[in-house]
Structure formats: C-alpha cells, structure tokens
Amino acid sequence: MPDAAPCSPAVAQARSRWRAAEDRLYPTLINDPSSYQRGLADVQAVVAELRRRSRCAEELIAAEAASGELVATACPAGPAIPADLLVAVACGMADRELAAECERRRRAAVLDDARCAGRDWAVLAGPAHVEELTEGRRVEVHVRSGTVVEATADPWSGGEPYRLDVTVSATDGEHHALSRAFTDRAGWLAEHRRCRRDVESARLS
C-alpha cells in the first residue's frame, strides 16, 4: 500500500510556494523582535480561519486567492506582516494539519480492514511483502499490540543500505525497541522475520 496519493501539479506548486514563504518570513521575524509575537499571532489567527473554511489543499489555494478578505476577517486590526506572505505561511501550516489528519484516517481504515479480516499485521506503506522492497520503505503495524516495524532499503546510502526500526506502543508513550542497520540483505530479511515472531509472541518490548 502506498503512502499518501500523489498531489496535483497545482497543489505541488502551492506547497512549494508556501514553503518558500516560510523560509522568507521566519528569519524576518527573528531579526525584528518587536513584530515577532504579533506576527506569530497573525499567522495563528489566519490558520484558525482557514480551519473553518478549508477541508483540502484545493480549498486552501482558493482561500489564498482571496487573501485580502481572509486577512481582514482574521486580523481586523490589520496584519503586522505583508498579507500575501502571511496567508502563504498560514496555508502551509493548515495544509500540514490537513495532511496529518488525512493520514491518520487512512491508517485507521487500514487497521480496521486488517482487524475485520482477522489479519495479525496491517501494511501502512510499501509493498505487501518485505521481500519485494528494493528501495524506499515498508511500514507495518501489529494489529493487536500496535507495534510498528519499519524496513528501509536505500541502495545509494553506501555501506549499510538496509535498516530496521521497531517502535513499541507503551502506556507512557512509544519507544524504540530496535534500530539497526545492515550491510547484508539476507541478514536484514532474517532479522525482520525474527522481529515479527517476537512481536507476535510479545517477547519484544
């Protein structure tokens, strides 16, 4: 199962524009302490207004196109920073919030499907079987315990192209039970199988 679906060219361009706006804004605020707090407050006010108006990146783009009205509503006393810069930064923040919530719902649906089908594991990202992974990552979660096993293959990384990370869910928060890099693919796959067995038998904690 892939990660998030690829975005449209318009959304990709907007996200690039929003990142560039952040790169421009924050050094300016840091260099001008007198406007720092007010500038951040204006950004948060616009983000709050965007939350009320927008449910996807396309709607954020539409809101950005009407930046004058958006800023007037969110900052009735007038913004401390240029409106176009303010709105672009706020759109970037709101977009990340929407993307995170969309990913949370996607993962919850994958887990529900696996639970209903009686499967022990749910693949959140990457190919169905770790043996198919030649580049990128594969993330799976143990349905009953919530333990996450992430396998990574990076043939361009040099000496240790394979990695395995296991994150165990605990009542006081998540912690890594295992994080290892491998030079040998066979050893990496063998360790992956061992980790799965240990998770299933609750020996990995």
Side-chain angles (χ1 to χ4, degrees):
M1 176 172 294
D3 294 292
C7 61
S8 69
V11 171
Q13 291 172 8
R15 286 173 174 163
S16 178
R17 182 171 65 251
W18 297 338
R19 285 192 298 269
E22 290 178 350
D23 292 341
R24 289 165 50 203
L25 174 62
Y26 291 118
T28 300
L29 291 179
I30 292 172
N31 291 329
D32 185 5
S34 63
S35 65
Y36 182 81
Q37 291 299 329
R38 187 181 171 195
L40 291 183
D42 286 346
V43 170
Q44 291 298 330
V46 176
V47 170
E49 185 64 24
L50 287 169
R51 290 189 190 113
R52 289 189 284 270
R53 299 179 181 214
S54 307
R55 295 167 296 176
C56 62
E58 288 78 8
E59 291 182 356
L60 289 173
I61 294 171
E64 183 185 25
S67 60
E69 186 272 332
L70 175 64
V71 172
T73 301
C75 309
I81 53 182
D84 58 340
L85 193 60
L86 168 61
V87 171
V89 170
C91 282
M93 294 178 65
D95 180 55
R96 288 192 293 274
E97 289 182 359
L98 289 171
E101 176 59 21
C102 182
E103 178 63 7
R104 187 197 66 78
R105 291 196 301 266
R106 184 190 74 84
R107 292 189 172 212
V110 172
L111 279 170
D112 285 344
D113 287 347
R115 195 174 291 113
C116 291
R119 295 193 298 270
D120 291 330
W121 294 86
V123 178
L124 300 178
H129 305 286
V130 70
E131 291 81 5
E132 301 170 8
L133 184 66
T134 57
E135 184 176 359
R137 66 181 191 137
R138 179 181 186 271
V139 182
E140 60 184 336
V141 59
H142 186 238
V143 175
R144 178 170 52 83
S145 68
T147 297
V148 176
V149 177
E150 179 172 352
T152 308
D154 182 2
W156 313 107
S157 65
E160 296 180 320
Y162 305 105
R163 185 174 183 86
L164 196 62
D165 293 281
V166 180
T167 304
V168 178
S169 292
T171 56
D172 58 348
E174 294 183 339
H175 68 276
H176 279 82
L178 174 72
S179 183
R180 287 185 59 190
F182 300 81
T183 58
D184 177 62
R185 180 177 176 85
W188 171 64
L189 291 174
E191 183 66 11
H192 182 274
R193 290 190 293 270
R194 186 192 69 78
C195 285
R196 280 174 54 104
R197 290 195 301 269
D198 286 350
V199 170
E200 290 167 355
S201 61
R203 291 198 299 267
L204 190 59
S205 60

